[in-house]
Amino acid sequence: MATDWLQLRAGKSAWLQIKEQGLTEDAVQLLVGASGGPKWFVLQGLDRYLFGEFFAARQGHLDLLGTSAGAWRFAALGQQDPVAASELFCRLYSTQTYSAKPDVLEITDEARKLLAEYIPDRAVDEILSQDRFRHHWIVARCRGMTAIEGKRQILGLLTSAAANSVKRKWLGKFYERVIFHHPASPATFTEHWNDIPTRYAQLSTANFKQALLATGSIPLVLEGVRDIPGAPAGIYRDGGVTDYHFDLDFSGVDGLVLYPHFHHEVIPGWFDKRIKKRRTTGSQWPNVILLTPTQEFIDALPFGKIPDRTDFAKLDADARIKYWHQAVEQGKWMADQFHEWVATDKIRDKVELWT
C-alpha cells in the first residue's frame, strides 16, 4: 500500500464541495501562508506546483494572505517567473550563515541583503502592476513597551504574553494588526477582523520592501521597522505575533481557502503556542482546505523533524544547509502526491472532514 505523505483536511462546506466536484484552481479564492521561519522548506515543492502549474491557467484574481515566512514565500507570485523567484528565495534563505554569536544588527543586516536580492526594484514593479495575485500581509504595530528596542523589550513581551494568556483580545492593548494590501484589492474579505485593533495600508513602491521586512521581524531577533511610508507611524514587527497561524473569520472569502501548512495544528498567535485550548479547527473554518505533512513524512526527514530556527544553534552551517536542502527535496513528495490526487480525482477520497 502506497504511503500518504500528505494529509488533506477540510471544513464542512469545503469537504462537501470536494466530495461532489473535486478541486479546481478556479474554486480557490484565497491562498494562506503562515509564520514559521525554516519550517516552510517542506512546503517549497507545493509552492512550485501551485505557483507554476495549479494556478497558471486560473481565471480571475487570487487573494494571498501571509505573515512572516508566509508573506515572503508569496512575494514570488506576481513576479514574471514565480517558480524561479520561489527557488531563489529558498536558496538564499537556506544558505544563510552568521558569525558564531550573531546579534540583532547582524541578523537584520543579513535579512536586508536577502530581501534586496530576492525582491529587486524590478520585482516590486512587476508585482504591483499586475492584479492576478493580490497580496495581503499582516504586520504587528507595537504599542507601549513592545515598541522598545534592545533587551528592555523583554518586559513588553512578557506583559503582552501574560495579557494574552487571560484573553486573546487583550493582545490588542500591546499590538495593532496592520494589513498591507495590494493596490488592486479592496481587502473586503478582512472587514470582520475586529478581534484586535486593525488598520489598513496600501502596498506601494515606497513601502513594499519595508512592509515585507517588517512582517518577518521577529522580536528580539531582528530590529523592528520604524515608520513605514503610507502606514501609521510607529515600530512594526513580525505579523506572527498577532496572527501566527491565524484565527480569523474567512466567511467573507467568496470561494475556497487553500492553506498549505507545515503543522497539524493551527495556532492563532505567537503567544498561544503553549495554550493548548487555543487551536483553530475546521468547525471555525468551513471553507478552508488544510494541507499538511503526515507523521510518516516527518519521520522520514533527517532527525525526524521539520526544520526550525533552533537548527542555527544546534548544527554547524554545512550540516544545517545539507539538512534543509534534504527537507526541500523531500517536500516534493507532497507536491507530487497532491498533483496526482487533483489530476486523477483521488482527492475526493483523500479529503478528510476537519472538525
Side-chain angles (χ1 to χ4, degrees):
M1 184 176 180
T3 301
D4 282 349
W5 307 116
L6 181 68
Q7 182 178 29
L8 190 100
R9 290 175 287 165
K12 189 170 184 179
S13 61
W15 179 79
L16 285 170
Q17 184 167 333
I18 292 172
K19 282 289 188 182
E20 293 172 0
Q21 304 171 26
L23 180 65
T24 64
E25 67 275 15
D26 289 325
V28 178
Q29 184 55 49
L30 177 65
L31 182 66
V32 177
S35 303
K39 297 182 180 75
W40 86 276
F41 287 132
V42 297
L43 302 177
Q44 205 271 332
L46 277 168
D47 285 355
R48 289 182 82 259
Y49 169 62
L50 293 173
F51 298 179
E53 296 183 50
F54 186 72
F55 289 122
R58 189 181 187 283
Q59 300 298 310
H61 72 269
L62 178 70
D63 290 319
L64 313 169
L65 175 67
T67 58
S68 198
W72 282 67
R73 288 164 52 203
F74 292 169
L77 286 162
Q79 295 194 46
Q80 188 170 14
D81 188 338
V83 172
S86 176
E87 291 181 340
L88 173 62
F89 176 47
C90 183
R91 177 176 62 80
L92 293 173
Y93 191 0
S94 64
T95 56
Q96 275 190 312
T97 56
Y98 302 99
S99 63
K101 293 184 178 180
D103 59 14
V104 169
L105 293 178
E106 180 183 348
I107 296 172
T108 302
D109 186 52
E110 289 299 320
R112 291 183 185 278
K113 290 177 184 176
L114 191 158
L115 177 60
E117 189 169 352
Y118 173 40
I119 310 289
D121 292 343
R122 166 195 53 76
V124 175
D125 292 337
E126 289 173 358
I127 292 167
L128 295 180
S129 63
Q130 57 83 49
D131 67 354
R132 286 192 64 216
F133 301 104
R134 298 181 176 181
H135 295 271
H136 304 80
W137 304 334
I138 295 176
V139 184
R141 178 174 176 264
C142 298
R143 308 173 78 174
M145 293 181 293
T146 63
I148 298 171
E149 294 288 11
K151 292 183 179 179
R152 291 188 302 149
Q153 185 190 149
I154 293 174
L155 182 59
L157 291 171
L158 291 174
T159 306
S160 55
N164 177 79
S165 68
V166 180
K167 289 186 179 180
R168 178 165 155 75
K169 70 177 182 179
W170 285 2
L171 195 62
K173 298 177 184 292
F174 301 89
Y175 303 95
E176 288 182 337
R177 174 190 295 125
V178 180
I179 301 171
F180 286 85
H181 60 92
H182 191 282
S185 174
T188 52
F189 71 91
T190 72
E191 60 189 11
H192 299 302
W193 298 357
N194 54 13
D195 52 326
I196 62 174
T198 301
R199 299 200 195 193
Y200 295 82
Q202 183 171 293
L203 286 167
S204 68
T205 55
N207 66 21
F208 190 96
K209 293 184 184 181
Q210 289 187 58
L212 190 55
L213 181 64
T215 193
S217 294
I218 306 166
L220 298 176
V221 178
L222 281 82
E223 289 183 311
V225 179
R226 183 181 294 275
D227 299 339
I228 300 176
I235 293 290
Y236 290 81
R237 303 195 195 278
D238 198 306
V241 173
T242 57
D243 299 281
Y244 188 55
H245 298 165
F246 309 104
D247 185 32
L248 299 167
D249 181 356
F250 288 141
S251 63
V253 178
D254 185 20
L256 299 179
V257 179
L258 187 63
Y259 189 177
H261 193 34
F262 44 75
H263 201 287
H264 70 281
E265 291 184 321
V266 177
I267 303 167
W270 200 46
F271 297 117
D272 296 322
K273 296 177 186 179
R274 289 183 171 83
I275 306 177
K276 291 296 185 180
K277 64 181 179 181
R278 290 191 190 165
R279 297 294 183 266
T280 309
T281 69
S283 63
Q284 296 157 283
W285 281 352
N287 58 342
V288 174
I289 305 163
L290 189 73
L291 308 178
T292 57
T294 61
Q295 189 60 50
E296 288 80 3
F297 177 93
I298 295 171
D299 290 342
L301 284 166
F303 310 110
K305 74 172 191 67
I306 288 173
D308 59 56
R309 285 197 300 114
T310 66
D311 298 331
F312 279 108
K314 293 178 179 178
L315 301 171
D316 64 50
D318 289 342
R320 171 179 55 81
I321 292 169
K322 180 181 178 181
Y323 164 38
W324 285 3
H325 285 176
Q326 288 174 300
V328 172
E329 286 301 307
Q330 187 171 314
K332 294 175 182 177
W333 301 353
M334 290 194 295
D336 290 343
Q337 197 157 64
F338 184 63
H339 185 186
E340 179 197 353
W341 290 355
V342 171
T344 62
D345 228 15
K346 286 183 181 178
I347 196 165
R348 299 188 193 215
D349 299 320
K350 294 294 184 178
V351 66
E352 303 169 23
L353 182 61
W354 184 26
T355 57

